[in-house]
Structures are given as structure tokens and as C-alpha cells.
């Protein structure tokens, strides 16, 4: 949702808080789209600091459905987001994108709350989400979820580290 900041921009010292719904239905993650399972409204507080600068604070809480990095079962991961930024309204949109080094959530005086949340998610999401700390993953031979029991496959021969050791033993025998 777009928030028009021009009202705050006209008066130094002026502050305003908006509470808007999060409209995005999914987040484009590193390995696919993660659906938004639920979200709290987004709070955005903007204060005019003078010198064409605005302080941006606020936050929200977003729960994404992310596949477990080991077994691919969907995991509901909740990310708490806090904004704390300073916006320089004297720089152009292009400069700002470069400065922030990310897609701009600010176009003219319009702040895109969804994009702002997206940026924060990209900074705050962990590289890997696991369904549980000791997730056993899936069998790389038959694809069975090993959290639900063993599958009976002989996985020893598939461990590349073991294969290397076996090769070394073979070499010793040949010498
Ligand atoms: Zn898992
Ligand atoms: Zn198996």
C-alpha cells in the first residue's frame, strides 16, 4: 500500500503514524516464492527532521511458509521487522536506489509499505529454515522423509566422504 508523505514533508518537526495492511501475498525468496501465512498491520511513523530529511520508524510481524531446508516440509516462520531509517528527500530516486542498494520503496513522496517490508525481509530472513533443529532430512535414494522413520535404503555407499575413504583404501592395496 502506498503512503503519501508530502503532508509530513511540508512542516519541520511534524510526525505522523500510519497503520496499513500488508498487501503482498508472497515473498520472493532465494529458492522460490514463500506464501505469506499471516501478518500484522504495518506501522509506519515518519518524522520531519528538517533539511529535507525524514526519520522512518515502525515495523510489523510477518509469518511466511518456507520449505524446510532438509526435508522440504512447509514451516511457518515468523519474522519480526523493525524499521529505523533516515530518508534523504533531496536525493533523486535513482541516487536513493543506489544508496540503499536495494529496490526502492520510495518514489517521489510515495512510500510503498509492501516494498519496505520486502526489503527488510531480505535482510532479516535466515539463509536456512529448518522444521526442527535435528531434522533428519530426506533419503537421497528413495526420497522418504526420514523424520517419519527409516526407509531401509543402504545409504552408506552414497556418502561421498565414505567413497573417498574407500578409494584411498583401494589405492593402498594396489601399491
Ligand atoms: Zn525438516
Ligand atoms: Zn530411502
Amino acid at each position: 500500500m502506498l503512503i503519501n508523505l508530502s503532508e509530513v514533508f511540508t512542516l519541520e518537526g511534524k510526525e505522523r503514524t500510519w497503520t496499513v495492511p500488508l498487501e503482498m501475498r508472497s515473498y520472493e525468496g532465494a529458492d522460490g516464492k514463500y506464501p505469506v501465512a499471516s501478518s500484522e498491520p504495518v506501522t509506519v511513523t515518519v518524522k520531519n527532521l528538517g533539511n529535507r530529511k525524514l526519520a522512518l520508524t515502525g515495523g510489523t510481524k510477518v509469518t511466511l511458509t518456507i520449505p524446510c531446508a532438509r526435508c522440504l516440509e512447509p514451516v511457518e516462520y515468523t519474522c519480526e521487522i523493525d524499521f529505523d531509517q533516515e530518508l534523504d528527500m533531496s536525493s533523486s530516486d535513482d541516487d536513493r536506489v543506489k544508496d540503499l542498494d536495494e529496490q526502492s520503496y520510495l518514489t517521489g513522496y510515495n512510500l510503498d509499505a509492501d516494498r519496505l517490508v520486502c526489503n527488510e525481509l531480505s535482510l532479516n530472513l535466515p539463509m536456512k529454515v529448518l522444521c526442527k533443529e535435528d531434522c533428519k532430512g530426506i533419503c537421497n535414494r528413495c526420497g522418504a522423509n526420514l523424520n517419519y522413520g527409516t526407509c531401509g535404503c543402504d545409504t552408506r555407499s552414497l556418502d561421498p566422504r565414505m567413497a573417498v575413504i574407500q578409494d584411498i583404501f583401494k589405492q593402498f592395496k594396489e601399491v
Side-chain angles (χ1 to χ4, degrees), residues 119-174:
N119 276 346
E120 290 299 317
L121 281 173
S122 66
L123 298 172
N124 289 306
L125 279 183
M127 295 287 285
K128 269 186 192 174
V129 172
L130 296 176
C131 61
K132 55 186 178 193
E133 214 35 64
D134 62 344
C135 170
K136 295 186 178 74
I138 53 174
C139 168
N140 52 9
R141 185 171 282 187
C142 73
N145 186 331
L146 300 174
N147 295 308
Y148 300 137
T150 48
C151 55
C153 292
D154 180 9
T155 51
R156 280 174 301 166
S157 57
L158 282 170
D159 189 329
R161 285 165 303 178
M162 287 302 289
V164 169
I165 291 167
Q166 277 166 355
D167 283 351
I168 292 168
F169 275 124
K170 260 185 232 156
Q171 279 172 1
F172 273 121
K173 269 179 201 163
E174 281 161 14

Side-chain angles (χ1 to χ4, degrees), residues 89-135:
M89 303 302 277
S90 55
S91 58
S92 72
D93 288 347
D94 285 348
D95 286 346
R96 215 178 285 130
V97 172
K98 264 180 238 152
D99 286 349
L100 296 168
D101 197 25
E102 54 209 17
Q103 62 171 164
S104 180
Y105 48 80
L106 199 59
T107 310
Y109 293 118
N110 286 320
L111 184 143
D112 188 327
D114 285 74
R115 278 195 173 185
L116 178 60
V117 170
C118 249
N119 276 346
E120 290 299 317
L121 281 173
S122 66
L123 298 172
N124 289 306
L125 279 183
M127 295 287 285
K128 269 186 192 174
V129 172
L130 296 176
C131 61
K132 55 186 178 193
E133 214 35 64
D134 62 344
C135 170

